[in-house]
Every structure is written in structure tokens, then in C-alpha cells.
Amino acid sequence: MCWLPPLFLGDTVTIGEISYKLKTPQNPELVPVKHISDSLPQTVAQHLRWIMQKDVLGQDVFLIGPPGPLRRSIAMQYLELTKREVEYVALSRDTTETDLKQRREIRSGTAFYIDQCAVRAATQGRVLVLEGLEKAERNVLPVLNNLLENREMQLEDGRFLMSAERYDKLLQEHTKEELDSWKIVRVSEDFRVIALGLPVPKYKGNPLDPPLRSRFQARDIYYLPFKVIFIYILCVRVSQLLSLATTLCSQESSNLGLPDFPVDNLLPALHVLNAFPMLSSQHLVQRLYPYNSILGKDGRTAVEGVLSRFELLDGRQSASTQRILFHNCYRKMKLLVGLFQLFPLSIKLQVPAGTKEPRPPNSSPNFISTPSHAQLLSEMMQSHMVKDICLIGAKGCGKSVLAREFAEMLGYSIEPVMLYQDMTARDLLQQRYTLSNGDTAWRPSPLVTAAIEGKLLLLDGIHRVNLGTLAVLSRLLHDRELDLYDGTRLLRWDRYQTLKEQLQFSDEQLQERSIFPIHPSFRVLALAEPPVVGASTSSSSNSRGQQWLGPELLTMFLYHTVTPLAKGEEMGLIQGLTPNVPMEAAEQLLHLTHSLRKTNDPTAQSLASSLSTRQLLRICRRLSQYPKESIAHAVNKACLSRFLPSLARASLEKSLANCMVKDGVLTIGNVSAPIYNPNEKMKVPDVLFYDNPQHMMVMEDMLKDFLLGEHLLLVGNQGVGKNKIVDRFLHLLNRPREYLQLHRDTTVQTLTLQPSVRDGIITYEDSPLVKAVKLGHILVIDEADKAPTNVTCILKTLVESGEMILADGRRIISAKGRPNVIVMHPDFRMLVLANRPGFPFLGNDFFGALGDIFSCHAVDNPKPQAELAMLKQYGPDVPDATLQKLVAAFGELRSMADQGTITYPYSTREVVNIVKHLQKFPGEGLASVVRNVFDFDSYNKDMREVLIEALHKHGIPIGAKPSSVKLAKE
């Protein structure tokens, strides 16, 4: 191997025959540190030599290449080598002109401009590093065109940036005071731009605008050559892995639709292999390149063919179960030393740990260890040594529970961040807010505080967030560095310490310059649902149906898959967490669930997805309290099988006594609960409600889950009485209600805060959600299916862990903790109402996205006898014969809707309105009144004929025509 090291002669650095004269930096804290390794590979040195050539020529450069940190690393190495100050910005779809040029701030009621990265770099002679040009929206970057070409730019505050040559010429004829009065500012001759981007269209993103592209000199920074990486560790398995990586990055693999292998992750993977030489190569490849999750059958076959060719298909070898023992753990330089027990070997290794005392494995009463989970936690610990982790698994399979157990074992505090589709880069990093005096300020996000305090950042739902937004975390995940919108810089711990020693600065001095260290224990654990194999990777496609795991994300994490538990393991888990559950019922439930999971019938599989481990535990908790409940009823309730017309629906006949309140205790059916004594009685709903057995049965079911501490989801067609049932339920329990109506324009911010203007200042008031959490009221969320699922998904952490971050920076937690938090009242509950999924309802599939975190209840139209009894109470003077005609006709129409003959599901609400009209105006004929409902369909000929036939059949003469009158034969 031939090396080409840079030479330092006095104040000059030379690479090959190219020399650059060093200058003393004005702000040495902005010069990158600890990016250059002891020995530079020749390939890297050649790249650095080329950049130096362009620098000497005064040209801006564009480093283009596949995903990964290599391009950024080379740029930083060059800047460290030449002692250049850097202004770094990660571009995203949220980047605007103000992020590059100037941002307006308000101080003491006065607006003024603050220079941003491009202006600071130009005026101070720094190097502007722009990463991710393909992520920026079109027509944002052209604001830099004139700055790149002529070193000129007009600023919003009236100043004009001018190239050094023109400025110096003007200075010969005019004084500096005159130029200052004309607001002309000199652009330093040392100003340069280094752009980093991916080639589009091979990778996802916006292609470069031709005028912008023409202003850069390009350099292809491809993966380092095979021999350069091989020099690190010389062994057969490394050679095999490198051969695999090279093959999967080739043009032939790309033509087969295989994503690039994350070559940059090979080095951390080799550290794992070095510590665990008995580890299967195929299992290690799965962590780097989870091909079983991201590829279809043909792709998997192609990858396994390559694995077989390089003798890496060793995953079928018998591997003994790994266990983690921490009996002798101790701290050393913020690291926890633990003992890995891998039969028959014992391996000691150092892993990053949190600031709390670690808890021994399997000591939590809320976590029941199974062999597969113990194995997974052991593998996560191996990956945790070297890199951030992503857990991939179906909803409800235990990802969040495993993450919490992993954190507890290592003494980490968890910082949960719920991701959603419309999340912006500002939501991830820093948010603008207004102080009480009207001044603007920046608030760091939980992600930033987690990095500084050394927490475990839990990114829940990376399959939902837009890749262009997630890309702003690339530098944090690869290099542990981050530049924030207010100018704050976060540095990796060792680089911060090196900078401190080189400059002889104290922590306070560096913090005055807005430089903070990232805690060495900080780690990121991402949770995601499996990619949809063969689905679109378009950013505009539905987040639940896209192939989100592409080449760029592959470089950010090591991946672990949470597989569904085996039947025996799931039984052990259920027995451990619900010891009183009847064994026979639990076995029946598991037999049904696992037979559904193994079937090839897609309809049955969709039903099985609703019977996740989380949902099975919920059912078993109910069964342990109410052992006489029917398994069929519990399964139908959990899966909302009432709204799956292609499945056979189990019917349940159960007579219930009317609800009764006696001695401060409410009894519905066989379930009793104490009556609540509220402080705000005016918020207890009181609604006209006529009892019927079917609705009482729903309320009994609701009360069972309510007493178990569950949050409830009621799903049903329109007009079946969901709101009335909930209001009656809360009235009987005497519980105050907060009401929240969702709609298409509901955002994450409006869910938590309500903005208002007072005395010219924007203030935020608590939303009904926050009020309910504070006061222990019941939050009724209506029309949940109308809001985008990427907005309502933030309710997941509130339901699961009792935590939620509000738009103003406050945090809801379940127990008392640090300041600026809202402690969740123990009486708080959520009752969510949604229409059934699918046509003709125009909402989103709330049940499909979040159904399994709630206890679900299907609400249907009352049965004929119950409906007739209820209608008699609404219309006591309406003849029984008329009511029976209506009940029979509407019953047949609903049956036709279930069968798909008609699309509109006629509901009890429509019948009630007809009866109310007949009660008030008894002189009007039935045929005239029913038109109030059926005139909607009067313009659809086919639909009208079906309706007329059905109504005539039950003696309702609507729309009679000569052609439809048939005379009897003599």
C-alpha cells in the first residue's frame, strides 16, 4: 500500500506538489478537530489534493457519491488540514432562504436581522459546507447562485455583499466610511463552498438545477477501494465481507433493484466481530443489510446467492442462546463494564451506559424474559458497543418494552420522541417561540437535550417521517456532531476535549461561543414497522405503504428484527404478566392467534395483525378479571370483526340488566364501579338517552376495560350512537369530560396548544387534551379518523408510557420529576370515537394505525327488537305498524350495505329523525317523510330503483310510478 502523507513546512501544508499557505484562524473553535487519522490512505490523500487544487484556484467544489459519511469526512479532514473555519448546514425539505441568508429576530419590540451560515462564511472568510443538496426543495438554492459565481448577494437588511476584487478597486477611489454608508460589505477572498450530495436519479431526491450545478467543480467520492479497507484487519472473514459489499454496490446489483450495501458500517461491524469471533457472518450481514425485510423473494434469492458464493451463508449453524450477566458490573470513564455469557465462553466488554444505576436483567416485574428476547437483547448489546440501533417489528410485538428493558439494564434515562409524517427539521432540533415580552427565541428539542445529558434517544416511528427531514440527523448519527439554527454547535466528546486543550479554553468560554459537548453515553434507539416489500419509495406515498428503508438510512443504524414470539414463549409471557388468567382460555386464544398468523389467507392475516402480543395481553387481563367472558367475543372486539364483512362474524347473545346506581356504586350488567365525585360538575355530560340491551352490553364491556385502566376506542358507522353511548357512560360514572373534535387540518401543535393573541403577543392556552391530563378528566376525541394518522400517532406515547412533549416545550409525564412538566392525573382517560375504516367513509384508517394501543369496541345499530323499543320512546304516538315497517325496511337496507349491494350504511340516526318528524307532524304521510333521508339518492338511477323495491317490499310507498304498479290477475 502506497501512502501520500501531507507535509507541513512552517506555515505551508503540501500534498504532492500542491501547497497551501496556512492562516491563523480568527475563531479557532470553528476549525474541525480529530477528523484526520494517523495515516491517510492514498485514495483519500488524492481527494484532498484535488480539493486543495480547487481551493488554490478559488473554485467551489461538489463532492458527489453514494450515501454515507465518507464525503463529509473528507471535507472535514481538508478543513482541519488547512486550519479553516467551517460553517455547516444540513439541507432538508424544510430549508428556506432565511436559513441560508438572514433570519429576522425581535428584541425589545424591534425587528432586526441575524446573518446565517452563507453570509457569515462569506464575510468572515470561512468554508461553507452544504450537505444534502438533493434534499432541498426546488428553487431554494438558486439564492446562492450569484454568491457562487460573482461573490455577490443582496441581503434583506439592505447590505450588499461584494467580491473582494471589486471592493478593493472601489476602496482605491472611495473611503471605507463611504462604502459603509452605501452598505457594501466585502466578501473575503478565502470564502469557499464545499457541497456534498448524492447522484440523482440513482438515489432519491431533487436533481441539481443546471445553473447551480455549472458553478461547482465535481469530484466522485466513491467507496474506498477494497484494499484500503482490508488494510485495517487482515483475516479471511473480513475479505469475504468486503467481497460481499463490493458485489452489492456494483452496477449489476443496482440493475437488480438491490439497494447499496452500507460499506461505511463495515468498520463498526468488524469491531463486533473482533469481540465475538464466534458470531455468524450471515447474522452480522443481517444487521448491516436486513435483506429479509427490504427485499422480495427474487431479491432475497439474489443476496443469498452472493452470500453462498463468498461462503457467508452460515446462519443455519446451531448457535447457543446468549445470556447477559451483570453481577460484577462497574463504571470506568462513563462506560459500564459487563459480562457477556456465551456458552461456553465468557467475554468481558465495555459498553456505553447511562447516568442512573443499571438494573440487573430480568429483575423488572413488568418484563418477562423469553429465550428469543434474551437473545435479541444480547445482540443489541453487541451492536450498542459500536453504533446506534434500529429495531424493526410489527406493531404490538414488544419493541417499546424491549427498548425500556434495554435502557434499564444499562442505567439509561429514555427520551422518547414520537415521529410523524409532517415533522419538520425544526421539530426535530429547535423550535421558535415567543417570550412574554414579544421577543423571539429558540427552544432546544428533547433530541438536543438528550444528546447533551447522555440519555437514550428513542425515535419511535422512523418509518413515518420523511427521509428529507430525517437526513438532518445524519451527521449526528455518523459523527456525533450537530449544528443548530441559533448557531449552537454540539461536538463529539473527545473532539470537544481536544478543542478545549488546544485552545486552553474553559467550559464556560466555549459555552459563551455556543459550543457544547455531546455526552459520550448518548445513543439513539429507533423503532420502526417493517418496510412494505415492493412498495413505492416516493416521499408522497402513504407512510404506511412505502419502502422507507433505502441506501441512505442503511448507513445510519445497525438493524435488529423483532420476530413474533413462538407459541410457548407467548404463553410464558402471558402467564407471567397475567397470572390469574384461565389456562384453557389462554390456550384457546393462542391457538387461534397462531393459526391465523400462519395462514396464507390475506384476510385472515389482516385479522391476525390486530391480535398482536400487546392486544393478547389486554384480552388476558380482562379474562383474569372476568373469566366467564367468551373468547369469541374478546377476539371479535379486539379485531372489530363486525366491520370485516368477508369474515364470519361471531354472534353473541347476552341479556343484561339495566344499569343501576345504588349507595354510590354504578352497576352495569355484572360490573360495578364507584361513582366519581368531580370538582367541575358542569363538565359532566347529560344527554337524552333511551336504554336498550345492546347499548347496555357495550357499556358493560367499556366499564370492564375502563376499570382495568385502559383507554377506549369506539368504532362504528355514522349514526349508531357512539357519542350518546360515551356521554351516557360518563354521566352514569359522573366523570367530567373534555371534548376534542379532529378534522383534516388538525396538526400536532393544535392537539396540544391553542394559540391566541393578547395585547399583540401570541400566547398559548392549554388544549382540552392538556386540561384533561392536568385535571384528571375524560378526554373524548371525536372523529379521530378525520385527522391524518401521522398527527394522531403522537397519542401513542401518551397511551403507552404516559409521556408526551407539547409544542411549547413542556412535557407530560406519569410521575413527578424535573421542572416544566405536567404530571398526568391518575384519573385521566381517553375515549376515542372513529368511523369504521373503508369506503364509503372518507376518513383515514385510525384503527389500522393505532387500534392496538386502545381497547377497541365495535358499536353497531341496535337489533330490530331493541331498535323498535327505542323508537317507541322517541315517537310514543306513532303507530306501531309504522315503526315496524321502518325497522324492517332499514334492517334490510343495512343488510344490503353489509353485502355490498348498496354503498351507504343507513343508520339508527336516520330512523330516529323520521320518527321525530312523524311524532311532531302526525298528519304527514310516511312516504313523504322518508324522502328526508332517501332524496340524497334520487339522482342515482340504479340506487333509486334498489331503494324503491326494498321500501315497497315493506309497505312504504315511495316514488310510485305507473311502470312500478302491477295489477293482480283476475
Side-chain angles (χ1 to χ4, degrees), residues 143-158:
V143 302
L144 298 177
N145 280 350
N146 202 26
L147 184 64
L148 292 167
E149 180 70 23
N150 301 314
R151 295 302 193 248
E152 292 180 350
M153 180 184 274
Q154 180 67 54
L155 303 181
E156 274 67 20
D157 63 2

Side-chain angles (χ1 to χ4, degrees), residues 482-720:
L482 198 60
D483 282 62
L484 304 179
Y485 296 107
D486 65 352
T488 301
R489 294 177 67 218
L490 303 184
L491 283 185
R492 199 173 75 192
W493 177 265
D494 59 332
R495 288 175 179 159
Y496 177 87
Q497 297 301 331
T498 302
L499 189 67
K500 201 165 109 175
E501 292 167 9
Q502 285 181 356
L503 305 180
Q504 296 294 305
F505 281 178
S506 65
D507 288 329
E508 292 74 19
Q509 287 174 302
L510 282 173
Q511 287 167 17
E512 284 173 11
R513 290 165 169 78
S514 299
I515 297 177
F516 295 85
I518 289 178
H519 198 285
S521 292
F522 170 66
R523 282 293 185 276
V524 181
L525 176 54
L527 309 180
E529 291 180 16
V532 179
V533 175
S536 167
T537 57
S538 167
S539 60
S540 62
S541 63
N542 188 306
S543 62
R544 286 178 57 76
Q546 65 173 293
Q547 168 55 278
W548 55 268
L549 186 50
E552 205 165 344
L553 260 179
L554 283 172
T555 67
M556 296 186 188
F557 299 98
L558 291 181
Y559 293 87
H560 293 265
T561 302
V562 185
T563 54
L565 291 172
K567 188 175 178 181
E569 289 184 325
E570 207 156 26
M571 176 58 83
L573 187 68
I574 287 170
Q575 288 177 321
L577 293 174
T578 55
N580 298 325
V581 67
M583 281 301 299
E584 185 180 352
E587 286 173 357
Q588 288 177 0
L589 183 64
L590 281 178
H591 177 74
L592 170 67
T593 302
H594 283 267
S595 62
L596 286 171
R597 287 177 186 171
K598 292 173 183 175
T599 183
N600 293 323
D601 181 11
T603 306
Q605 284 181 343
S606 68
L607 182 61
S609 67
S610 297
L611 290 173
S612 60
T613 303
R614 179 196 284 134
Q615 192 70 275
L616 293 180
L617 286 168
R618 178 179 288 117
I619 293 171
C620 290
R621 277 197 296 270
R622 270 178 63 114
L623 289 172
S624 64
Q625 292 292 321
Y626 310 102
K628 294 184 180 179
E629 264 202 1
S630 156
I631 291 291
H633 170 62
V635 170
N636 278 291
K637 187 173 84 69
C639 304
L640 292 182
S641 62
R642 162 66 185 84
F643 305 118
L644 298 172
S646 55
L647 291 177
R649 300 182 198 133
S651 60
L652 181 67
E653 295 295 333
K654 184 179 180 184
S655 57
L656 295 172
N658 284 342
C659 66
M660 175 178 65
V661 177
K662 182 179 180 182
D663 299 328
V665 175
L666 166 69
T667 301
I668 303 179
N670 299 319
V671 189
S672 299
I675 296 297
Y676 195 74
N677 186 20
N679 293 324
E680 297 188 44
K681 293 188 178 179
M682 76 289 294
K683 289 195 173 183
V684 176
D686 191 1
V687 65
L688 175 66
F689 186 88
Y690 295 121
D691 291 345
N692 68 78
Q694 193 168 331
H695 286 167
M696 298 314 300
M697 188 172 73
V698 172
M699 282 195 274
E700 181 188 5
D701 256 359
M702 290 167 60
L703 187 57
K704 289 177 181 178
D705 289 329
F706 191 86
L707 293 175
L708 290 170
E710 300 283 359
H711 301 273
L712 311 183
L713 169 63
L714 272 65
V715 180
N717 292 346
Q718 88 296 344
V720 295

Side-chain angles (χ1 to χ4, degrees), residues 6 8 19 37 68 106 110 316 418 454 485 563 571 579 605 668 672 677 733 782 800 805 812 830 835 841 917:
F8 290 91
S19 297
S37 57
I106 298 174
T110 303
R316 296 182 182 84
M418 193 70 193
Y485 296 107
T563 54
M571 176 58 83
Q605 284 181 343
I668 303 179
S672 299
N677 186 20
L733 283 172
D782 200 4
E800 277 199 319
I805 298 158
I812 294 170
M830 270 193 283
N835 289 310
F841 296 94
H917 190 111

Side-chain angles (χ1 to χ4, degrees), residues 245-485:
T246 306
T247 303
L248 291 177
C249 289
S250 65
Q251 186 62 46
E252 291 78 5
S253 296
S254 181
N255 293 340
L256 288 173
L258 304 180
D260 289 359
F261 189 90
V263 177
D264 298 294
N265 284 352
L266 271 177
L267 204 55
L270 293 177
H271 288 311
V272 174
L273 200 57
N274 194 37
F276 298 90
M278 75 297 295
L279 188 64
S280 153
S281 299
Q282 188 179 0
H283 289 161
L284 187 64
V285 168
Q286 278 281 12
R287 296 186 205 177
L288 295 164
Y289 195 76
Y291 59 89
N292 281 331
S293 298
I294 59 179
L295 300 176
K297 184 179 179 182
D298 292 343
R300 291 197 298 271
T301 303
V303 172
E304 288 184 352
V306 178
L307 288 170
S308 176
R309 190 192 319 161
F310 296 117
E311 299 178 358
L312 292 169
L313 207 60
D314 55 358
R316 296 182 182 84
Q317 295 173 359
S318 59
S320 54
T321 302
Q322 303 171 11
R323 290 191 297 115
I324 309 168
L325 300 175
F326 277 160
H327 298 306
N328 300 314
C329 59
Y330 59 93
R331 292 191 178 279
K332 176 183 176 184
M333 292 293 291
K334 296 183 183 289
L335 294 175
L336 191 71
V337 180
L339 179 67
F340 266 73
Q341 184 74 42
L342 290 97
F343 299 104
L345 301 174
S346 294
I347 300 175
K348 275 190 177 181
L349 69 155
Q350 293 183 349
V351 293
T355 53
K356 301 190 301 184
E357 279 304 309
R359 181 175 52 69
N362 306 327
S363 62
S364 169
N366 298 320
F367 182 81
I368 306 298
S369 181
T370 66
S372 61
H373 283 170
Q375 178 79 15
L376 179 59
L377 285 168
S378 174
E379 292 169 357
M380 287 169 65
M381 200 70 70
Q382 296 169 3
S383 299
H384 177 67
M385 285 193 307
V386 293
K387 198 165 177 65
D388 299 313
I389 305 169
C390 176
L391 286 182
I392 300 177
K395 62 180 181 180
C397 69
K399 299 187 296 294
S400 300
V401 175
L402 283 165
R404 282 196 293 272
E405 176 68 9
F406 182 73
E408 290 291 331
M409 284 164 47
L410 289 170
Y412 271 108
S413 298
I414 287 183
E415 187 66 72
V417 174
M418 193 70 193
L419 304 179
Y420 48 93
Q421 189 176 4
D422 294 333
M423 199 169 209
T424 66
R426 288 189 183 181
D427 294 326
L428 273 176
L429 301 179
Q430 273 188 317
Q431 297 162 337
R432 288 289 287 273
Y433 71 107
T434 308
L435 300 175
S436 56
N437 62 355
D439 290 357
T440 54
W442 289 95
R443 179 191 299 115
S445 70
L447 182 149
V448 173
T449 55
I452 293 173
E453 296 173 11
K455 296 181 178 179
L456 181 69
L457 178 69
L458 195 66
L459 292 178
D460 196 340
I462 63 165
H463 61 284
R464 282 188 291 265
V465 74
N466 186 283
L467 178 61
T469 299
L470 201 62
V472 300
L473 299 183
S474 173
R475 190 175 179 217
L476 177 69
L477 295 169
H478 289 140
D479 300 340
R480 285 296 186 264
E481 292 189 3
L482 198 60
D483 282 62
L484 304 179
Y485 296 107

